[in-house]
Amino acid sequence: MSNLYGDFSQKIDYVFKIVLIGDSAVGKSQLLTRFARNEFNLDSKATIGVEFQTKTLVIDHKTVKAQIWDTAGQERK
């Protein structure tokens, strides 16, 4: 499958594992949704636990996969 982001059957050159943390209701889920799916939803619901999304891009002829975890924003200090 080849598209704007490259050929997904090729090998992954880099994998980045990212965790979004921060206070509740600051937009972590919206940031992730905008990056991963290019969507924005005014009626989003609070994250319960942790959600996970991936996005694969081609940057400078290298295939980069981002594995992004979205937390609920209620982490204990």
Short mmCIF file of all heavy atoms in Angstrom, two decimals, residues 6-66:
data_model
loop_
_atom_site.label_atom_id
_atom_site.label_comp_id
_atom_site.label_asym_id
_atom_site.label_seq_id
_atom_site.Cartn_x
_atom_site.Cartn_y
_atom_site.Cartn_z
N GLY A 6 4.03 7.19 2.25
CA GLY A 6 5.04 6.22 1.87
C GLY A 6 4.47 4.81 1.78
O GLY A 6 3.29 4.59 1.90
N ASP A 7 5.36 3.87 1.55
CA ASP A 7 5.00 2.47 1.38
C ASP A 7 5.09 1.77 2.73
O ASP A 7 6.17 1.59 3.26
CB ASP A 7 5.96 1.84 0.37
CG ASP A 7 5.64 0.40 0.07
OD1 ASP A 7 4.70 -0.15 0.69
OD2 ASP A 7 6.32 -0.17 -0.79
N PHE A 8 3.93 1.37 3.30
CA PHE A 8 3.91 0.81 4.65
C PHE A 8 4.43 -0.61 4.70
O PHE A 8 4.59 -1.17 5.77
CB PHE A 8 2.50 0.89 5.24
CG PHE A 8 2.10 2.30 5.53
CD1 PHE A 8 1.02 2.87 4.90
CD2 PHE A 8 2.83 3.07 6.43
CE1 PHE A 8 0.65 4.19 5.17
CE2 PHE A 8 2.46 4.37 6.70
CZ PHE A 8 1.39 4.92 6.07
N SER A 9 4.69 -1.24 3.54
CA SER A 9 5.25 -2.58 3.56
C SER A 9 6.77 -2.54 3.75
O SER A 9 7.39 -3.56 4.00
CB SER A 9 4.90 -3.32 2.26
OG SER A 9 5.52 -2.68 1.16
N GLN A 10 7.36 -1.36 3.64
CA GLN A 10 8.81 -1.27 3.83
C GLN A 10 9.16 -1.30 5.31
O GLN A 10 8.31 -1.15 6.16
CB GLN A 10 9.36 0.00 3.18
CG GLN A 10 8.97 1.30 3.88
CD GLN A 10 9.42 2.52 3.12
OE1 GLN A 10 9.42 2.53 1.90
NE2 GLN A 10 9.79 3.55 3.83
N LYS A 11 10.44 -1.51 5.58
CA LYS A 11 10.87 -1.63 6.97
C LYS A 11 10.77 -0.28 7.69
O LYS A 11 10.83 0.77 7.07
CB LYS A 11 12.30 -2.16 7.05
CG LYS A 11 13.37 -1.18 6.63
CD LYS A 11 14.74 -1.80 6.78
CE LYS A 11 15.83 -0.83 6.43
NZ LYS A 11 16.03 0.25 7.35
N ILE A 12 10.62 -0.36 8.99
CA ILE A 12 10.56 0.84 9.83
C ILE A 12 12.00 1.17 10.25
O ILE A 12 12.69 0.33 10.81
CB ILE A 12 9.69 0.59 11.08
CG1 ILE A 12 8.28 0.13 10.69
CG2 ILE A 12 9.65 1.82 11.98
CD1 ILE A 12 7.48 1.13 9.93
N ASP A 13 12.44 2.38 9.96
CA ASP A 13 13.80 2.79 10.31
C ASP A 13 13.90 3.25 11.77
O ASP A 13 14.91 2.99 12.43
CB ASP A 13 14.28 3.92 9.38
CG ASP A 13 14.40 3.44 7.94
OD1 ASP A 13 15.21 2.53 7.69
OD2 ASP A 13 13.67 3.97 7.08
N TYR A 14 12.88 3.92 12.24
CA TYR A 14 12.89 4.44 13.61
C TYR A 14 11.52 4.24 14.24
O TYR A 14 10.50 4.40 13.57
CB TYR A 14 13.20 5.94 13.65
CG TYR A 14 14.55 6.30 13.09
CD1 TYR A 14 14.67 6.80 11.80
CD2 TYR A 14 15.70 6.16 13.85
CE1 TYR A 14 15.91 7.13 11.27
CE2 TYR A 14 16.94 6.48 13.33
CZ TYR A 14 17.03 6.97 12.04
OH TYR A 14 18.26 7.29 11.53
N VAL A 15 11.50 3.92 15.53
CA VAL A 15 10.26 3.84 16.29
C VAL A 15 10.41 4.77 17.50
O VAL A 15 11.38 4.67 18.24
CB VAL A 15 9.96 2.41 16.78
CG1 VAL A 15 8.72 2.40 17.66
CG2 VAL A 15 9.79 1.47 15.60
N PHE A 16 9.47 5.68 17.64
CA PHE A 16 9.46 6.58 18.78
C PHE A 16 8.26 6.22 19.66
O PHE A 16 7.14 6.10 19.16
CB PHE A 16 9.34 8.04 18.34
CG PHE A 16 10.57 8.56 17.66
CD1 PHE A 16 10.68 8.50 16.28
CD2 PHE A 16 11.61 9.07 18.41
CE1 PHE A 16 11.82 8.98 15.65
CE2 PHE A 16 12.76 9.54 17.78
CZ PHE A 16 12.87 9.49 16.40
N LYS A 17 8.50 6.05 20.93
CA LYS A 17 7.43 5.76 21.89
C LYS A 17 7.25 7.01 22.74
O LYS A 17 8.18 7.45 23.41
CB LYS A 17 7.79 4.55 22.73
CG LYS A 17 7.92 3.32 21.87
CD LYS A 17 8.30 2.10 22.65
CE LYS A 17 8.42 0.92 21.69
NZ LYS A 17 8.68 -0.33 22.38
N ILE A 18 6.05 7.56 22.69
CA ILE A 18 5.78 8.86 23.30
C ILE A 18 4.60 8.73 24.25
O ILE A 18 3.60 8.08 23.93
CB ILE A 18 5.45 9.89 22.20
CG1 ILE A 18 6.61 9.99 21.20
CG2 ILE A 18 5.11 11.25 22.80
CD1 ILE A 18 6.23 10.55 19.86
N VAL A 19 4.70 9.34 25.43
CA VAL A 19 3.60 9.36 26.39
C VAL A 19 3.20 10.81 26.61
O VAL A 19 4.04 11.65 26.96
CB VAL A 19 4.01 8.72 27.74
CG1 VAL A 19 2.86 8.78 28.73
CG2 VAL A 19 4.47 7.29 27.53
N LEU A 20 1.92 11.11 26.39
CA LEU A 20 1.40 12.45 26.64
C LEU A 20 0.92 12.50 28.09
O LEU A 20 0.04 11.74 28.48
CB LEU A 20 0.24 12.76 25.70
CG LEU A 20 0.55 12.75 24.21
CD1 LEU A 20 -0.72 13.03 23.41
CD2 LEU A 20 1.61 13.77 23.88
N ILE A 21 1.52 13.39 28.86
CA ILE A 21 1.10 13.56 30.25
C ILE A 21 0.78 15.02 30.50
O ILE A 21 1.28 15.90 29.81
CB ILE A 21 2.17 13.07 31.26
CG1 ILE A 21 3.48 13.82 31.06
CG2 ILE A 21 2.38 11.57 31.12
CD1 ILE A 21 4.52 13.51 32.12
N GLY A 22 -0.04 15.28 31.47
CA GLY A 22 -0.41 16.65 31.81
C GLY A 22 -1.70 16.65 32.58
O GLY A 22 -2.35 15.62 32.76
N ASP A 23 -2.10 17.81 33.03
CA ASP A 23 -3.33 17.96 33.80
C ASP A 23 -4.54 17.52 32.98
O ASP A 23 -4.49 17.49 31.74
CB ASP A 23 -3.51 19.42 34.23
CG ASP A 23 -2.49 19.86 35.26
OD1 ASP A 23 -1.94 18.98 35.96
OD2 ASP A 23 -2.23 21.07 35.35
N SER A 24 -5.62 17.22 33.66
CA SER A 24 -6.88 16.86 33.01
C SER A 24 -7.41 18.04 32.21
O SER A 24 -7.24 19.20 32.60
CB SER A 24 -7.92 16.45 34.05
OG SER A 24 -7.53 15.29 34.72
N ALA A 25 -8.05 17.73 31.11
CA ALA A 25 -8.78 18.72 30.28
C ALA A 25 -7.90 19.81 29.69
O ALA A 25 -8.35 20.94 29.52
CB ALA A 25 -9.93 19.33 31.09
N VAL A 26 -6.65 19.48 29.35
CA VAL A 26 -5.79 20.49 28.72
C VAL A 26 -5.62 20.27 27.22
O VAL A 26 -5.02 21.11 26.55
CB VAL A 26 -4.39 20.57 29.39
CG1 VAL A 26 -4.51 21.02 30.83
CG2 VAL A 26 -3.65 19.25 29.28
N GLY A 27 -6.14 19.14 26.67
CA GLY A 27 -6.10 18.93 25.23
C GLY A 27 -5.16 17.84 24.75
O GLY A 27 -4.85 17.78 23.55
N LYS A 28 -4.69 16.97 25.62
CA LYS A 28 -3.78 15.90 25.21
C LYS A 28 -4.41 15.01 24.15
O LYS A 28 -3.79 14.71 23.13
CB LYS A 28 -3.35 15.06 26.42
CG LYS A 28 -2.55 15.81 27.46
CD LYS A 28 -2.18 14.94 28.63
CE LYS A 28 -3.34 14.36 29.37
NZ LYS A 28 -4.21 15.33 30.05
N SER A 29 -5.65 14.60 24.38
CA SER A 29 -6.34 13.72 23.43
C SER A 29 -6.58 14.44 22.11
O SER A 29 -6.44 13.84 21.04
CB SER A 29 -7.67 13.25 24.01
OG SER A 29 -7.46 12.46 25.15
N GLN A 30 -6.94 15.70 22.16
CA GLN A 30 -7.16 16.47 20.94
C GLN A 30 -5.87 16.62 20.13
O GLN A 30 -5.87 16.54 18.90
CB GLN A 30 -7.74 17.85 21.26
CG GLN A 30 -9.15 17.80 21.75
CD GLN A 30 -10.15 17.32 20.70
OE1 GLN A 30 -9.84 17.19 19.52
NE2 GLN A 30 -11.35 17.05 21.14
N LEU A 31 -4.77 16.85 20.83
CA LEU A 31 -3.46 16.95 20.17
C LEU A 31 -3.13 15.65 19.45
O LEU A 31 -2.72 15.65 18.28
CB LEU A 31 -2.39 17.29 21.20
CG LEU A 31 -0.98 17.50 20.68
CD1 LEU A 31 -0.90 18.74 19.81
CD2 LEU A 31 -0.02 17.62 21.85
N LEU A 32 -3.35 14.53 20.13
CA LEU A 32 -3.07 13.22 19.53
C LEU A 32 -3.98 12.96 18.34
O LEU A 32 -3.52 12.50 17.28
CB LEU A 32 -3.22 12.13 20.58
CG LEU A 32 -3.06 10.70 20.08
CD1 LEU A 32 -1.72 10.50 19.38
CD2 LEU A 32 -3.22 9.73 21.23
N THR A 33 -5.26 13.23 18.48
CA THR A 33 -6.21 12.99 17.40
C THR A 33 -5.88 13.85 16.19
O THR A 33 -5.93 13.38 15.04
CB THR A 33 -7.65 13.27 17.86
OG1 THR A 33 -7.94 12.42 18.97
CG2 THR A 33 -8.66 13.03 16.76
N ARG A 34 -5.48 15.08 16.42
CA ARG A 34 -5.12 15.97 15.31
C ARG A 34 -3.88 15.46 14.59
O ARG A 34 -3.82 15.44 13.36
CB ARG A 34 -4.89 17.39 15.83
CG ARG A 34 -4.58 18.37 14.76
CD ARG A 34 -5.74 18.52 13.80
NE ARG A 34 -5.78 19.88 13.38
CZ ARG A 34 -6.73 20.41 12.68
NH1 ARG A 34 -7.76 19.69 12.34
NH2 ARG A 34 -6.68 21.64 12.33
N PHE A 35 -2.88 15.00 15.34
CA PHE A 35 -1.65 14.50 14.74
C PHE A 35 -1.89 13.17 14.02
O PHE A 35 -1.48 12.99 12.88
CB PHE A 35 -0.56 14.34 15.80
CG PHE A 35 0.70 13.72 15.27
CD1 PHE A 35 1.53 14.43 14.43
CD2 PHE A 35 1.04 12.42 15.60
CE1 PHE A 35 2.69 13.85 13.92
CE2 PHE A 35 2.18 11.83 15.11
CZ PHE A 35 3.01 12.55 14.26
N ALA A 36 -2.54 12.22 14.69
CA ALA A 36 -2.67 10.87 14.16
C ALA A 36 -3.70 10.75 13.04
O ALA A 36 -3.51 10.00 12.09
CB ALA A 36 -3.00 9.89 15.29
N ARG A 37 -4.83 11.47 13.16
CA ARG A 37 -5.92 11.32 12.18
C ARG A 37 -6.32 12.62 11.50
O ARG A 37 -7.27 12.63 10.71
CB ARG A 37 -7.14 10.71 12.89
CG ARG A 37 -6.85 9.33 13.45
CD ARG A 37 -8.11 8.62 13.91
NE ARG A 37 -8.96 9.42 14.76
CZ ARG A 37 -9.23 9.13 16.04
NH1 ARG A 37 -8.72 8.08 16.60
NH2 ARG A 37 -10.03 9.91 16.74
N ASN A 38 -5.65 13.72 11.83
CA ASN A 38 -5.97 15.04 11.28
C ASN A 38 -7.45 15.38 11.49
O ASN A 38 -8.13 15.87 10.60
CB ASN A 38 -5.60 15.15 9.80
CG ASN A 38 -5.53 16.60 9.36
OD1 ASN A 38 -5.26 17.49 10.16
ND2 ASN A 38 -5.78 16.83 8.09
N GLU A 39 -7.93 15.09 12.71
CA GLU A 39 -9.32 15.39 13.07
C GLU A 39 -9.34 16.25 14.32
O GLU A 39 -8.40 16.25 15.10
CB GLU A 39 -10.08 14.08 13.37
CG GLU A 39 -10.23 13.17 12.18
CD GLU A 39 -10.88 11.85 12.55
OE1 GLU A 39 -11.22 11.64 13.73
OE2 GLU A 39 -11.02 11.02 11.65
N PHE A 40 -10.44 16.98 14.48
CA PHE A 40 -10.66 17.75 15.70
C PHE A 40 -12.13 17.63 16.05
O PHE A 40 -13.00 17.80 15.20
CB PHE A 40 -10.28 19.22 15.51
CG PHE A 40 -10.42 20.03 16.76
CD1 PHE A 40 -9.42 20.03 17.71
CD2 PHE A 40 -11.57 20.77 17.00
CE1 PHE A 40 -9.55 20.77 18.88
CE2 PHE A 40 -11.70 21.52 18.16
CZ PHE A 40 -10.70 21.51 19.10
N ASN A 41 -12.43 17.33 17.31
CA ASN A 41 -13.80 17.10 17.74
C ASN A 41 -14.10 17.96 18.97
O ASN A 41 -13.48 17.78 20.01
CB ASN A 41 -14.00 15.62 18.06
CG ASN A 41 -15.42 15.29 18.44
OD1 ASN A 41 -16.29 16.16 18.51
ND2 ASN A 41 -15.67 14.02 18.70
N LEU A 42 -15.04 18.85 18.84
CA LEU A 42 -15.40 19.71 19.97
C LEU A 42 -16.11 18.96 21.08
O LEU A 42 -16.16 19.41 22.21
CB LEU A 42 -16.30 20.86 19.48
CG LEU A 42 -15.62 21.93 18.65
CD1 LEU A 42 -16.65 22.93 18.12
CD2 LEU A 42 -14.56 22.65 19.47
N ASP A 43 -16.66 17.79 20.76
CA ASP A 43 -17.43 17.01 21.73
C ASP A 43 -16.65 15.83 22.28
O ASP A 43 -17.21 14.76 22.52
CB ASP A 43 -18.72 16.51 21.08
CG ASP A 43 -19.60 17.65 20.61
OD1 ASP A 43 -19.66 18.67 21.32
OD2 ASP A 43 -20.22 17.53 19.54
N SER A 44 -15.38 15.98 22.50
CA SER A 44 -14.58 14.85 22.98
C SER A 44 -14.90 14.56 24.44
O SER A 44 -15.34 15.42 25.19
CB SER A 44 -13.09 15.13 22.82
OG SER A 44 -12.69 16.16 23.67
N LYS A 45 -14.67 13.30 24.82
CA LYS A 45 -14.93 12.87 26.20
C LYS A 45 -13.60 12.66 26.91
O LYS A 45 -12.56 12.45 26.28
CB LYS A 45 -15.72 11.57 26.18
CG LYS A 45 -17.09 11.74 25.57
CD LYS A 45 -17.84 10.43 25.54
CE LYS A 45 -19.20 10.65 24.88
NZ LYS A 45 -19.87 9.41 24.57
N ALA A 46 -13.64 12.71 28.22
CA ALA A 46 -12.42 12.52 29.02
C ALA A 46 -11.86 11.12 28.80
O ALA A 46 -12.60 10.15 28.67
CB ALA A 46 -12.75 12.73 30.50
N THR A 47 -10.55 11.04 28.76
CA THR A 47 -9.87 9.76 28.62
C THR A 47 -9.97 9.00 29.94
O THR A 47 -9.73 9.56 31.00
CB THR A 47 -8.39 9.97 28.26
OG1 THR A 47 -8.32 10.73 27.05
CG2 THR A 47 -7.66 8.65 28.08
N ILE A 48 -10.32 7.73 29.84
CA ILE A 48 -10.35 6.87 31.02
C ILE A 48 -9.19 5.90 30.89
O ILE A 48 -9.12 5.14 29.92
CB ILE A 48 -11.68 6.11 31.12
CG1 ILE A 48 -12.83 7.11 31.27
CG2 ILE A 48 -11.66 5.11 32.27
CD1 ILE A 48 -14.21 6.49 31.20
N GLY A 49 -8.26 5.95 31.82
CA GLY A 49 -7.08 5.09 31.73
C GLY A 49 -6.10 5.62 30.71
O GLY A 49 -5.67 6.77 30.79
N VAL A 50 -5.78 4.80 29.73
CA VAL A 50 -4.79 5.17 28.71
C VAL A 50 -5.31 4.75 27.34
O VAL A 50 -5.89 3.69 27.19
CB VAL A 50 -3.44 4.47 28.99
CG1 VAL A 50 -2.42 4.77 27.90
CG2 VAL A 50 -2.89 4.86 30.34
N GLU A 51 -5.09 5.59 26.34
CA GLU A 51 -5.41 5.25 24.96
C GLU A 51 -4.12 5.27 24.15
O GLU A 51 -3.15 5.91 24.54
CB GLU A 51 -6.43 6.24 24.39
CG GLU A 51 -7.78 6.13 25.08
CD GLU A 51 -8.84 7.03 24.48
OE1 GLU A 51 -8.58 7.65 23.43
OE2 GLU A 51 -9.92 7.12 25.07
N PHE A 52 -4.11 4.59 23.01
CA PHE A 52 -2.90 4.38 22.23
C PHE A 52 -3.21 4.56 20.75
O PHE A 52 -4.22 4.08 20.26
CB PHE A 52 -2.43 2.95 22.51
CG PHE A 52 -1.26 2.50 21.71
CD1 PHE A 52 0.02 2.83 22.10
CD2 PHE A 52 -1.43 1.73 20.58
CE1 PHE A 52 1.11 2.40 21.37
CE2 PHE A 52 -0.35 1.30 19.83
CZ PHE A 52 0.92 1.63 20.23
N GLN A 53 -2.34 5.28 20.05
CA GLN A 53 -2.46 5.41 18.60
C GLN A 53 -1.07 5.38 17.99
O GLN A 53 -0.07 5.69 18.66
CB GLN A 53 -3.14 6.73 18.22
CG GLN A 53 -4.60 6.76 18.58
CD GLN A 53 -5.31 7.93 17.94
OE1 GLN A 53 -5.13 8.21 16.77
NE2 GLN A 53 -6.15 8.60 18.73
N THR A 54 -1.02 5.02 16.72
CA THR A 54 0.25 5.04 16.00
C THR A 54 0.11 5.87 14.74
O THR A 54 -1.00 6.06 14.22
CB THR A 54 0.72 3.63 15.60
OG1 THR A 54 -0.23 3.07 14.71
CG2 THR A 54 0.89 2.73 16.81
N LYS A 55 1.24 6.36 14.28
CA LYS A 55 1.28 7.06 13.00
C LYS A 55 2.63 6.77 12.38
O LYS A 55 3.66 6.83 13.06
CB LYS A 55 1.10 8.56 13.19
CG LYS A 55 1.20 9.31 11.87
CD LYS A 55 0.31 10.49 11.81
CE LYS A 55 0.44 11.16 10.45
NZ LYS A 55 -0.61 12.10 10.23
N THR A 56 2.62 6.43 11.11
CA THR A 56 3.85 6.16 10.38
C THR A 56 4.03 7.24 9.32
O THR A 56 3.09 7.54 8.58
CB THR A 56 3.81 4.76 9.73
OG1 THR A 56 3.57 3.80 10.76
CG2 THR A 56 5.11 4.44 9.03
N LEU A 57 5.21 7.80 9.27
CA LEU A 57 5.55 8.88 8.33
C LEU A 57 6.86 8.56 7.63
O LEU A 57 7.66 7.79 8.15
CB LEU A 57 5.74 10.20 9.08
CG LEU A 57 4.65 10.68 10.00
CD1 LEU A 57 5.24 11.61 11.03
CD2 LEU A 57 3.61 11.40 9.20
N VAL A 58 7.07 9.19 6.50
CA VAL A 58 8.37 9.13 5.84
C VAL A 58 8.98 10.53 5.98
O VAL A 58 8.40 11.51 5.53
CB VAL A 58 8.26 8.71 4.37
CG1 VAL A 58 9.62 8.79 3.69
CG2 VAL A 58 7.68 7.33 4.25
N ILE A 59 10.14 10.58 6.63
CA ILE A 59 10.84 11.84 6.86
C ILE A 59 12.27 11.67 6.36
O ILE A 59 12.99 10.77 6.83
CB ILE A 59 10.83 12.23 8.36
CG1 ILE A 59 9.39 12.35 8.86
CG2 ILE A 59 11.62 13.52 8.58
CD1 ILE A 59 9.26 12.53 10.35
N ASP A 60 12.69 12.50 5.44
CA ASP A 60 14.04 12.40 4.86
C ASP A 60 14.35 10.98 4.40
O ASP A 60 15.41 10.42 4.69
CB ASP A 60 15.10 12.89 5.85
CG ASP A 60 15.03 14.38 6.11
OD1 ASP A 60 14.53 15.11 5.23
OD2 ASP A 60 15.46 14.81 7.19
N HIS A 61 13.42 10.38 3.68
CA HIS A 61 13.57 9.03 3.11
C HIS A 61 13.72 7.95 4.16
O HIS A 61 14.19 6.85 3.85
CB HIS A 61 14.74 8.99 2.12
CG HIS A 61 14.67 10.05 1.07
ND1 HIS A 61 13.72 10.05 0.07
CD2 HIS A 61 15.40 11.18 0.89
CE1 HIS A 61 13.90 11.12 -0.69
NE2 HIS A 61 14.90 11.82 -0.22
N LYS A 62 13.34 8.20 5.38
CA LYS A 62 13.35 7.21 6.46
C LYS A 62 11.92 7.02 6.93
O LYS A 62 11.16 7.98 7.06
CB LYS A 62 14.21 7.67 7.65
CG LYS A 62 15.67 7.89 7.31
CD LYS A 62 16.37 6.58 7.13
CE LYS A 62 17.85 6.83 6.88
NZ LYS A 62 18.58 5.59 6.69
N THR A 63 11.55 5.77 7.21
CA THR A 63 10.22 5.48 7.72
C THR A 63 10.25 5.54 9.23
O THR A 63 11.03 4.85 9.88
CB THR A 63 9.74 4.10 7.25
OG1 THR A 63 9.79 4.06 5.81
CG2 THR A 63 8.32 3.83 7.71
N VAL A 64 9.41 6.41 9.77
CA VAL A 64 9.37 6.67 11.21
C VAL A 64 7.98 6.31 11.73
O VAL A 64 6.97 6.75 11.19
CB VAL A 64 9.67 8.16 11.50
CG1 VAL A 64 9.57 8.45 12.99
CG2 VAL A 64 11.02 8.56 10.94
N LYS A 65 7.95 5.48 12.76
CA LYS A 65 6.69 5.10 13.38
C LYS A 65 6.63 5.71 14.77
O LYS A 65 7.54 5.52 15.57
CB LYS A 65 6.58 3.58 13.48
CG LYS A 65 5.26 3.10 14.06
CD LYS A 65 5.19 1.59 13.99
CE LYS A 65 3.84 1.09 14.44
NZ LYS A 65 3.76 -0.38 14.30
N ALA A 66 5.55 6.44 15.04
CA ALA A 66 5.34 7.02 16.37
C ALA A 66 4.25 6.20 17.07
O ALA A 66 3.17 6.02 16.52
CB ALA A 66 4.91 8.47 16.26
#
